[in-house]
Amino acid sequence: MSLLHVAILLPFIAALLIPLFYRWTKKLHTGWLALPIPVILFIYFLTFIPKTAQKATTATLEWIPRYGINFTVVLDGLSLLFALLITGIGSLVVFYSIFYLGKNKERLNNFYAFLLIFMTAMLGVVLSDNLIVLYLFWELTSISSFLLIGYWYHRERSRYGARKSMMITVFGGLMMLGGFLMLHIMTDSFSIREILSNAPSISDNIFFIPAMILILLGAFTKSAQVPFHIWLPDAMEAPTPVSAYLHSATMVKAGLYIVARFTPLFAISGVWFSVISIVGITTMLWGSVNATKKTDLKAILAYSTISQLGMIMTLLGIGSASLHFDSMNDNIYVMAIVAAMFHLFNHATFKGSLFMVAGIVDHETGTRDIRRLGGLMRIMPITATIAFIGTFAMAGIPPFNGFLSKEMFFESLTEIIHLNLFNLESWGIILPVVAWIASVFTFVYSMMIFFRTFAGKTKPYLLPKKPHEASLGLLAPPVILAAFVVGVGLFPNFIAAPILEPAVKAILPTLSHASSFHIHISFWHGFTPALFMTIGVIVFGILLYKTRRSWIPFISSKVPKAFRIGKTYDNGMFYLEQGSYRLTMYVMTGWLRTYLNYMLFAFIALILGTLFITDSLNFDFANLTQITLVDGVLAAVVFVTLIGIMFSRSRITSIILLGAMGYTISIFFVIASAPDLALTQLVIETISVVLYLLVFYHLPQFSNIEEKPKLFSTKTFLSIGVGVAVTLIALSAYDTTFYDSISKYYIDNVYKEAAGKNIVNVILVDFRGFDTLFETAVLAIASIGIFGMIKLRLTKRRKKNENE
Amino acid sequence: MKTNDVLLRNVTKVVAFIIFLFSLHLFFAGHYNPGGGFVAGLTSAGAITLTLLAYDIKTVKGMLNINTLVITGVGLLFAVGTGFIGIFLGKPFLMHVYTYVHLPVLGKVSLHTATLFDLGVYLVVVGVTLTIIQSIGESD
């Protein structure tokens, strides 16, 4: 148990303790209790920055060593980047939520407990080296996210959003578990580091591609890639701090983390490159186009998050091409990975601040609808400034950090055309074109967020509250984030060397041998194609923004009808439920005869199928005894009584014939030299006939209809089938030449060992008395059952009491 | 309307006794000849059932004055208890032992713990049969 383990589990322990402390500190906002934890963790992880630049820190805690499942923590550059984001933005979000959530109105214990559990889960995901432990924390993020989205559980939309996100992310999580298990089958290890070091040896394995697809399904569902993005907009029903933290900065990036983490393993395959790039670019376009038609601030931000995640995913896809080159230093695709990490960081900062701004606007005006907002710039100048920084960074405008990462994005994309891998000469051009279009739309919705909220005329008559500037506590966290946006934009190398470089080295392990590798992000790098692309984005973006009234109605009415993924999900869930309900109602009729038909049909199919498939139909009549006349007569009697039972119109005839058959069987026992059986059969047959007659006598009058059985029906065919199957089995199994009977032992030892001469009785009470013991128990239970059923009629008595 | 079934009752008095003796014979002869606890139990129950038919349930209950469920329970105890004899002798469960003894009247006779087991079976069968017949007969 090292300090790193404590660091991961600290928020979880705090989540358990906070509700206890809350009792004694009722005057204090619970958030103040929660705040120190992420702050301490943030400072703790900051101390790792110099260490991690050299080598990764590892620590192991044994959990289930026999199966190779240990809580192994590895802190390398990639993990550290995520850990800093999680704890850093976590601190700001906790601070923000103290002022955002009312102390008396909300169930703060639940909120902070869920949030801290989420923090543990997220730290566990990014720091775990063991696949199973990673999966454990992965599902914990899904569960805590579910709890946080459904925080206002009295709202129908919250419950719907929580359920939807749970269904989709848990689906992906389970797929990912399958992928992990396949990795384990291939490499016999659960350790990510070991698996990565085995990468070349498993690339030919048949499980390689399935494992990749399954793991990618997990990553895509979590990171809201098309078509699994549909849960993210509905997750906006969560409180705004949750949206800022989970659904923009941390959890949705868990999928990106997985993709980055497994890049050295899977990037060998072209499938990885194509799937990630295509899904990423599609997501980017889809998210940015859809964001423009939304009118709710958080919905725009949700689609914007989807789009930006798609962009990072695309960069990771392009970056995976770098593994196909030997020299790493002049490899432009490494820059794609750098851009991915850089944009991941940038996105966390500006999207976090934008969500907080949306929360402030909601908090101070009472609405998030941009059709009702406007002109808030004069009323809320600080919020407007933060929003300005955030939206312009998102649009990719200098001097903010979004500009730099977007430039690097374009640069990698223009480079992709020259890549002569995976047939990219033919379709590679699509990527930069689509990315450019998506960037134009990104520009448009960024402008919409800022100008429609803060510029123009105020519409006080449309606002539920009288707007005023937010309190300092609400403003401080987004200000800090905005400071990062500007700071990193102006001095990008401030974070490049200590944080981004180890992260990129962690993604591309071969790179760490190249000692000359250094990231230098230059603000101005000459008149490159990427710069012209950015200028084009701005020009076309402004044009589109000015003319938005003419085209937004088109995409909000025409486009979604063609691709209604959310609707497909709803219909899917509906028909799944309906279908299973109908199937159950169809199969489970409640009629005993239906179930009997199923069982008998299965019996016939299995028996006959097995007989014919294994070709075990062999009749050997060599050992048969001679058939005597008595046998024939008795068989004829049995046959006639059988026919009589089946076709008799009255039940009493059937009962009598059944008795006749029983007595005939006892005569069979007599001629087969089984006197004990004959005796018992006679007595038992008598008793059961008496009991049948008793039951017959007590049949209620109204149901006493004597029906004639139909000759041709399912029942007939099933009966014939069962008869044929059993007969065939009996005939095939009659050949007993495989081994000798054990009865010789009984015959030899019945007097010597057991001092008896009636071999049947000696077997019953001595050789195999254990069976007899429990058969007597069965009889006793049956009699007590009958006694109980007849004597204890509680329902009747209760009814009588009620009547009195 | 009550019919006078004096014939039935008098015949029953004799026949039930004979049936009971026959069942005892079946029981004790079981180890050497056809018979045994199960059939003997059924036959004894048959004797009692005959009395039930000739008289009525109350009379028979007065004659026997015993709870049929208790008979079943005692029978099960016998069956299980016999199994423990083997265990106490350091042998497996349900291992039977027997010895030959000379009794004054009967001469050389074998005493076998399997008989006790059979007695358990016998009692269970009697108890079960009577419980079923009585509970169904008493219900209305």
Side-chain angles (χ1 to χ4, degrees):
Chain A
M1 189 102 176
S2 71
L3 215 52
L4 269 175
H5 291 111
V6 179
I8 292 177
L9 296 177
L10 184 67
F12 189 79
I13 297 161
L16 298 179
L17 293 181
I18 278 176
L20 296 177
F21 282 111
Y22 171 71
R23 291 177 163 220
W24 296 297
T25 55
K26 279 202 170 150
K27 283 176 189 163
L28 201 65
H29 193 283
T30 320
W32 293 114
L33 292 173
L35 186 60
I37 290 142
V39 173
I40 291 167
L41 289 177
F42 182 65
I43 294 166
Y44 174 68
F45 282 117
L46 278 180
T47 61
F48 276 95
I49 289 179
K51 232 186 286 178
T52 309
Q54 307 303 320
K55 68 177 189 58
T57 317
T58 57
T60 303
L61 180 68
E62 287 205 335
W63 184 25
I64 315 173
R66 183 184 293 190
Y67 295 110
I69 298 171
N70 292 314
F71 190 3
T72 307
V73 177
V74 173
L75 185 65
D76 59 4
L78 183 63
S79 305
L80 184 65
L81 169 63
F82 273 90
L84 286 174
L85 281 180
I86 292 160
T87 49
I89 296 184
S91 316
L92 296 177
V93 162
V94 170
F95 187 81
Y96 178 80
S97 64
I98 292 171
F99 297 92
Y100 187 80
L101 295 173
K103 185 175 149 9
N104 299 320
K105 283 185 290 183
E106 307 285 355
R107 294 162 298 118
L108 292 171
N109 280 342
N110 298 14
F111 181 80
Y112 287 104
F114 298 159
L115 201 71
L116 289 172
I117 290 172
F118 171 79
M119 202 178 283
T120 282
M122 209 51 216
L123 283 174
V125 166
V126 299
L127 290 172
S128 294
D129 180 52
N130 194 287
L131 288 176
I132 297 298
V133 178
L134 173 64
Y135 174 71
L136 175 86
F137 285 117
W138 183 274
E139 291 299 7
L140 195 56
T141 61
S142 295
I143 293 166
S144 48
S145 163
F146 168 78
L147 292 170
L148 283 167
I149 296 169
Y151 177 64
W152 287 311
Y153 56 79
H154 45 83
R155 295 187 190 167
E156 206 274 329
R157 294 295 304 170
S158 293
R159 294 197 303 270
Y160 173 76
R163 209 163 52 228
K164 193 172 182 179
S165 74
M166 183 79 160
M167 293 295 289
I168 294 174
T169 53
V170 168
F171 161 76
L174 285 173
M175 294 296 119
M176 205 174 72
L177 178 64
F180 286 172
L181 293 178
M182 284 184 183
L183 280 183
H184 179 68
I185 292 167
M186 284 189 283
T187 60
D188 202 27
S189 166
F190 276 128
S191 163
I192 297 176
R193 267 71 186 172
E194 275 178 38
I195 290 171
L196 294 189
S197 63
N198 281 337
S201 65
I202 62 166
S203 56
D204 296 331
N205 201 305
I206 49 159
F207 284 134
F208 187 71
I209 298 290
M212 176 203 294
I213 298 297
L214 288 177
I215 290 173
L216 275 184
L217 270 178
F220 287 165
T221 48
K222 199 69 148 187
S223 279
Q225 302 292 303
V226 168
F228 306 111
H229 66 280
I230 47 172
W231 65 268
L232 189 60
D234 286 304
M236 290 303 129
E237 295 300 322
T240 304
V242 172
S243 307
Y245 187 38
L246 274 69
H247 306 125
S248 70
T250 55
M251 186 180 88
V252 288
K253 293 193 168 120
L256 299 173
Y257 169 80
I258 291 292
V259 170
R261 184 53 89 197
F262 284 101
T263 293
L265 179 66
F266 290 123
I268 303 167
S269 162
V271 180
W272 177 263
F273 172 87
S274 334
V275 170
I276 294 181
S277 310
I278 291 171
V279 170
I281 205 84
T282 316
T283 308
M284 188 182 174
L285 181 67
W286 184 258
S288 60
V289 172
N290 275 294
T292 55
K293 72 177 195 220
K294 296 290 166 189
T295 53
D296 179 56
L297 271 181
K298 275 176 90 174
I300 302 176
L301 288 173
Y303 275 102
S304 136
T305 304
I306 293 169
S307 167
Q308 304 277 323
L309 292 170
M311 173 178 162
I312 301 171
M313 195 63 93
T314 316
L315 280 169
L316 285 173
I318 298 167
S320 73
S322 64
L323 261 82
H324 293 269
F325 295 93
D326 292 331
S327 91
M328 280 290 178
N329 289 330
D330 53 347
N331 188 339
I332 184 70
Y333 305 108
V334 174
M335 284 315 284
I337 299 277
V338 176
M341 288 301 109
F342 191 38
H343 195 70
L344 192 140
F345 178 86
N346 294 343
H347 177 249
T349 52
F350 65 67
K351 193 52 66 66
S353 71
L354 280 177
F355 266 108
M356 289 175 184
V357 164
I360 291 171
V361 169
D362 189 16
H363 203 258
E364 304 306 336
T365 64
T367 182
R368 295 193 308 250
D369 195 330
I370 55 172
R371 286 169 301 189
R372 301 163 103 186
L373 295 166
L376 292 177
M377 206 189 281
R378 264 147 293 172
I379 304 162
M380 306 163 76
I382 304 172
T383 317
T385 314
I386 302 162
F388 175 78
I389 295 168
T391 49
F392 278 64
M394 185 156 75
I397 291 168
F400 306 114
N401 58 10
F403 168 70
L404 298 170
S405 39
K406 184 149 281 186
E407 283 295 276
M408 291 162 80
F409 175 58
F410 282 148
E411 229 168 275
S412 323
L413 277 170
T414 49
E415 211 56 46
I416 206 89
I417 311 166
H418 309 302
L419 185 68
N420 49 2
L421 270 174
F422 325 126
N423 298 325
L424 272 177
E425 307 85 19
S426 45
W427 62 272
I429 186 72
I430 301 169
L431 289 180
V433 171
V434 174
W436 186 80
I437 298 170
S439 301
V440 174
F441 280 102
T442 305
F443 185 88
V444 174
Y445 70 70
S446 302
M447 295 307 107
M448 275 168 59
I449 294 175
F450 180 72
F451 286 106
R452 295 197 62 183
T453 311
F454 295 99
K457 272 183 267 176
T458 43
K459 305 162 196 164
Y461 47 93
L462 282 177
L463 297 179
K465 285 185 190 173
K466 191 169 156 37
H468 56 84
E469 183 60 286
S471 65
L472 207 61
L474 273 180
L475 286 172
V479 163
I480 293 170
L481 286 173
F484 264 99
V485 174
V486 180
V488 172
L490 293 176
F491 310 103
N493 294 310
F494 181 68
I495 64 156
I499 295 174
L500 293 184
E501 218 175 275
V504 174
K505 279 183 180 172
I507 299 173
L508 303 170
T510 44
L511 202 66
S512 50
H513 305 304
S515 54
S516 57
F517 173 72
H518 287 297
I519 298 174
H520 186 78
I521 301 167
S522 50
F523 194 72
W524 174 255
H525 35 73
F527 291 101
T528 55
L531 186 67
F532 291 115
M533 281 171 90
T534 304
I535 292 169
V537 165
I538 294 171
V539 171
F540 274 88
I542 290 170
L543 270 177
L544 275 182
Y545 178 70
K546 289 286 174 203
T547 59
R548 65 178 185 276
R549 281 178 215 290
S550 54
W551 57 268
I552 284 181
F554 171 74
I555 60 162
S556 54
S557 63
K558 294 277 159 46
V559 177
K561 277 197 182 130
F563 318 92
R564 290 193 297 189
I565 303 170
K567 190 81 185 156
T568 312
Y569 166 85
D570 288 340
N571 284 340
M573 294 304 280
F574 177 76
Y575 287 118
L576 202 64
E577 226 168 77
Q578 280 292 305
S580 47
Y581 175 75
R582 291 217 182 127
L583 186 70
T584 315
M585 292 314 280
Y586 181 72
V587 176
M588 299 282 155
T589 55
W591 293 96
L592 198 56
R593 63 176 79 145
T594 321
Y595 304 146
L596 262 180
N597 284 351
Y598 296 156
M599 280 189 262
L600 293 179
F601 181 77
F603 175 80
I604 297 165
L606 289 174
I607 295 285
L608 290 184
T610 315
L611 276 180
F612 285 112
I613 287 167
T614 58
D615 198 22
S616 28
L617 279 173
N618 60 325
F619 305 134
D620 181 14
F621 297 116
N623 295 328
L624 290 186
T625 48
Q626 206 67 42
I627 300 171
T628 60
L629 184 67
V630 185
D631 289 327
V633 171
L634 288 179
V637 172
V638 169
F639 186 73
V640 168
T641 46
L642 258 179
I643 300 288
I645 290 168
M646 281 191 289
F647 292 100
S648 74
R649 284 178 179 229
S650 98
R651 284 180 178 136
I652 200 145
T653 322
S654 296
I655 294 169
I656 300 296
L657 285 174
L658 200 63
M661 193 163 77
Y663 290 134
T664 320
I665 287 171
S666 79
I667 300 173
F668 256 124
F669 286 142
V670 170
I671 62 167
S673 328
D676 292 274
L677 287 184
L679 269 175
T680 316
Q681 171 72 18
L682 267 176
V683 183
I684 287 294
E685 196 59 42
T686 314
I687 290 178
S688 45
V689 167
V690 168
L691 288 177
Y692 282 135
L693 287 173
L694 192 75
V695 171
F696 173 78
Y697 181 74
H698 283 292
L699 275 180
Q701 279 304 313
F702 56 86
S703 71
N704 210 352
I705 306 152
E706 312 224 322
E707 55 169 329
K708 191 189 173 191
K710 271 182 271 177
L711 192 56
F712 293 105
S713 63
T714 328
K715 277 187 253 174
T716 319
F717 291 116
L718 280 174
S719 318
I720 292 171
V722 170
V724 168
V726 172
T727 311
L728 286 180
I729 278 226
L731 288 178
S732 313
Y734 185 70
D735 180 16
T736 53
T737 48
F738 296 119
Y739 33 74
D740 297 329
S741 166
I742 55 165
S743 54
K744 187 146 188 343
Y745 171 84
Y746 291 138
I747 295 165
D748 290 345
N749 291 295
V750 65
Y751 192 71
K752 253 194 297 183
E753 296 281 336
K757 282 178 183 158
N758 180 353
I759 189 165
V760 174
N761 196 44
V762 169
I763 289 176
L764 281 179
V765 299
D766 200 338
F767 288 137
R768 312 194 51 178
F770 206 60
D771 296 348
T772 315
L773 178 60
F774 289 100
E775 272 148 29
T776 56
V778 167
L779 282 179
I781 291 165
S783 74
I784 293 167
I786 290 170
F787 181 80
M789 277 197 294
I790 288 170
K791 299 281 173 184
L792 306 174
R793 295 187 194 169
L794 286 175
T795 48
K796 245 186 185 172
R797 199 179 300 157
R798 196 173 299 146
K799 269 181 194 158
K800 262 183 201 162
N801 289 348
E802 276 167 13
N803 291 342
E804 278 164 11
Chain B
M1 189 189 100
K2 187 150 170 67
T3 50
N4 187 356
D5 32 36
V6 64
L7 260 179
L8 177 63
R9 286 189 177 179
N10 280 313
V11 171
T12 300
K13 277 175 192 166
V14 182
V15 171
F17 192 64
I18 296 171
I19 296 176
F20 189 69
L21 277 182
F22 178 62
S23 87
L24 281 185
H25 166 74
L26 281 176
F27 175 74
F28 282 111
H31 222 54
Y32 297 96
N33 294 308
F38 196 80
V39 183
L42 285 175
T43 324
S44 297
I48 298 169
T49 313
L50 183 62
T51 4
L52 267 173
L53 288 175
Y55 297 89
D56 51 39
I57 284 180
K58 271 183 190 165
T59 320
V60 176
K61 269 194 166 176
M63 280 196 275
L64 284 175
N65 198 18
I66 197 162
N67 189 343
T68 51
L69 285 174
V70 172
I71 302 181
T72 315
V74 171
L76 277 178
L77 268 182
F78 263 103
V80 177
T82 324
F84 281 99
I85 292 174
I87 287 187
F88 289 134
L89 295 176
K91 289 183 176 147
F93 183 68
L94 265 178
M95 185 87 178
H96 292 301
V97 287
Y98 59 91
T99 47
Y100 293 96
V101 285
H102 282 277
L103 292 179
V105 185
L106 299 166
K108 186 189 170 194
V109 168
S110 71
L111 286 182
H112 200 313
T113 52
T115 315
L116 290 176
F117 186 81
D118 233 5
L119 180 64
V121 176
Y122 173 86
L123 289 175
V124 168
V125 172
V126 171
V128 165
T129 322
L130 291 180
T131 311
I132 293 173
I133 290 170
Q134 278 186 6
S135 24
I136 294 177
E138 276 176 357
S139 75
D140 27 43

